[in-house]
Amino acid sequence: MIDAKYQTTTTVVVVVLYHQTPENSSTVQSFYRIAPELRAHYQLLIVNNSADSDGSGQYEDAVVKNFKANQGLAKAYNLGLGYASQYDLDWLMLFDQDSTFDSKYLQAFEAAQQQYQSEAAVAAIVPQVKQGNVALAPSVASPAFNSKVLTAGEYTNITSINSGTMLRVQSMTRVGGFNEAFPLDFLDYWIFWRLRQAQLKTVVLPATLQHELSVMDLKSMADVRYTSFAAGEQLFYSKYEVTGKRAWHQHKVLRIGKLLLTGNFNKAKINLRYW
């Protein structure tokens, strides 16, 4: 269970690992480089999705849950949401295994927590996400496939990535938790779509998170992983963000054309399968 020894804890931090140990996760190691007095405001939950994981245990003062199989992100996030609700904590923070941050990053989120604590319409607080010097997120959600990256401020028409996002527990409970129909890909799209449907706001901070985004180069992605991406994309645009379905089909036509021109025939077939 969550270690409740810190009376000042406000946030459950969920880090999901896959074929990686806590010692080798840049996210986990970033967390433990934070000063203990600041770290005391956060309870770390490490969820290990590796098939060779065995049982549950401890790493430092974190709670470790080993799923013994790759059950994706949504199930891990729902576990964290349940823990946060059980211990009456207000916020849930999500991380993949390969993000990098420092004390200033968490301090910026703490300041935002205090600023927006009583403003229930604010459901999410997100950083500006970069891979090296390339700005990845957050961005305008609608129209679909809009590449405009957003700067600091309050928004409703917004989408971002999972890693680094802080969510109000009450808001996520209100929308029914994390949709396990999206075990991995497009879960982040669904989260922000659901918050928009509930007319909830997202705050973008000036704080920057360095993150290695696996879908940056779809052409070099393994076919199994690419299939997961294509299936999540199809589900999202056919059932949820239906106003973007036409733009999605137009985008897929261009994508399939590029894949065929570069000899990526298997990935072109996968795209056609998930039309």
Side-chain angles (χ1 to χ4, degrees):
M1 66 177 183
I2 287 288
D3 190 339
K5 66 178 180 288
Y6 294 127
Q7 297 301 312
T8 58
T9 301
T10 62
T11 306
V12 172
V13 176
V14 183
V15 179
V16 183
L17 304 182
Y18 183 62
H19 290 322
Q20 195 167 85
T21 64
E23 292 84 355
N24 293 324
S25 165
S26 58
T27 305
V28 174
Q29 295 311 307
S30 289
F31 182 79
Y32 281 106
R33 283 193 291 269
I34 303 298
E37 58 271 19
L38 176 58
R39 205 167 65 231
H41 300 172
Y42 301 85
Q43 175 60 60
L44 180 61
L45 169 63
I46 299 173
V47 180
N48 192 337
N49 270 334
S50 302
D52 56 358
S53 62
D54 183 23
S56 296
Q58 291 286 133
Y59 176 79
E60 300 287 345
D61 57 355
V63 175
V64 180
K65 174 65 176 178
N66 293 306
F67 278 168
K68 302 183 183 179
N70 187 5
Q71 299 190 42
L73 299 177
K75 193 164 187 176
Y77 294 165
N78 277 327
L79 180 66
L81 182 63
Y83 282 170
S85 299
Q86 179 182 350
Y87 287 91
D88 200 28
L89 302 180
D90 295 327
W91 299 91
L92 182 70
M93 198 169 196
L94 313 177
F95 279 110
D96 294 343
Q97 63 191 16
D98 45 13
S99 296
T100 305
F101 57 91
D102 57 15
S103 293
K104 289 182 179 179
Y105 180 86
L106 290 186
Q107 287 168 346
F109 276 84
E110 289 208 330
Q113 281 182 344
Q114 294 171 12
Q115 181 178 352
Y116 296 102
Q117 186 66 31
S118 61
E119 192 173 336
V122 172
I125 304 171
V126 302
Q128 298 180 47
V129 184
K130 293 185 177 182
Q131 186 165 329
N133 294 322
V134 179
L136 303 178
S139 60
V140 172
S142 182
F145 299 96
N146 189 308
S147 60
K148 182 181 178 181
V149 177
L150 298 172
T151 55
E154 295 183 24
Y155 300 92
T156 52
N157 183 23
I158 183 174
T159 192
S160 194
I161 69 169
N162 295 314
S163 199
T165 291
M166 181 175 280
L167 296 161
R168 192 186 297 270
V169 170
Q170 185 180 43
S171 300
M172 288 308 300
T173 301
R174 171 183 162 188
V175 301
F178 298 90
N179 188 345
E180 294 186 15
F182 294 95
L184 180 60
D185 292 291
F186 279 80
L187 176 62
D188 41 12
Y189 281 76
W190 179 87
I191 291 169
F192 288 95
W193 172 85
R194 188 66 187 88
L195 296 181
R196 294 194 302 275
Q197 298 305 302
Q199 298 182 320
L200 295 169
K201 293 191 292 186
T202 295
V203 170
V204 180
L205 300 181
T208 299
L209 178 72
Q210 283 292 333
H211 178 70
E212 296 293 324
L213 190 62
S214 61
V215 297
M216 279 290 283
D217 187 5
L218 294 177
K219 290 184 293 184
S220 65
M221 187 182 291
D223 285 354
V224 171
R225 178 73 173 81
Y226 192 90
T227 300
S228 170
F229 170 85
E233 184 181 50
Q234 180 198 48
L235 177 61
F236 180 71
Y237 285 109
S238 62
K239 186 174 180 179
Y240 298 99
E241 189 67 277
V242 293
T243 58
K245 190 172 184 179
R246 182 176 180 181
W248 169 56
H249 280 153
Q250 292 171 340
H251 186 78
K252 279 181 76 74
V253 168
L254 295 174
R255 183 193 297 161
I256 291 168
K258 289 179 181 179
L259 289 169
L260 291 172
L261 287 172
T262 55
N264 285 281
F265 302 117
N266 283 342
K267 289 185 173 62
K269 289 179 182 178
I270 292 169
N271 272 279
L272 289 169
R273 190 187 314 155
Y274 290 97
W275 190 267

